[in-house]
Amino acid sequence: MPNYWLFKSEPDCYSIDDLKRDKSTFWDGVRNYQARNLLRDSIKVGDGVLFYHSSCDPMAIVGIADVTKGGSPDRTAFDPKSDHPDPKSNPDNPTWYGVEIHFRDKFKKAVLREDIKGEKRLAKMVLLQRGSRLSVQPVTADEWRAVLQIAGIKGN
DNA sequence: GCCAACGTTGGC
DNA sequence: GCCAACGTTGGC
């Protein structure tokens, strides 16, 4: 049984269209320990990812991706020229991790944050919880199905 | 190990 | 642009 997750991204930084173009990408740059633990320990090959556009208009779940490689060290932390270097992370004992995801679908109609708020089945999503700012967060199987149903995706 | 100060996130 | 909530840092 796969597990399900929601990854936040600011579309100016990396959008669903970027993922569609790239097909696959390594989800790097997460610098939060709670999210790191999920990336390193819990997110497995075959899991499903809801791709969410944050800090933009409109904020929405815009598509889905599959995890194609589980937690592995985020090498951008070692690169002083990367967007998010961390000199404290050591290649022999990496602090930060990421996973590889592969594009599956871009929703024809994005599931807007506004709509999520009005949907009973999605009321408990971590995304909507007060003060929640985890950029990688768990999604229940019921929430996953509800989102896909609202997006008009069949067979999941 | 507490906690105040500070920095960041992200919805509004 | 504002600001509440949260995470991190560092002095004690």
Side-chain angles (χ1 to χ4, degrees), chain A residues 3-91:
Chain A
N3 288 305
Y4 301 103
W5 312 95
L6 180 144
F7 286 13
K8 283 187 202 171
S9 185
E10 299 187 15
D12 286 349
C13 177
Y14 195 83
S15 72
I16 189 73
D17 292 316
D18 293 325
L19 181 61
K20 187 175 184 181
R21 178 200 61 215
D22 294 345
K23 306 282 194 296
S24 272
T25 196
F26 186 74
W27 204 254
D28 58 27
V30 174
R31 298 290 179 266
N32 167 281
Y33 286 101
Q34 207 179 334
R36 185 281 309 271
N37 292 346
L38 295 176
L39 290 165
R40 187 189 58 191
D41 306 330
S42 304
I43 303 181
K44 305 295 184 192
V45 173
D47 285 357
V49 173
L50 299 174
F51 198 103
Y52 177 78
H53 281 173
S54 67
S55 297
C56 62
D57 189 19
M59 290 179 274
I61 299 168
V62 291
I64 48 180
D66 297 303
V67 176
T68 45
K69 188 180 178 202
S72 48
D74 179 352
R75 294 189 308 275
T76 66
F78 313 134
D79 179 1
K81 291 196 290 292
S82 83
D83 292 334
H84 18 68
D86 180 3
K88 292 194 294 298
S89 183
N90 172 351

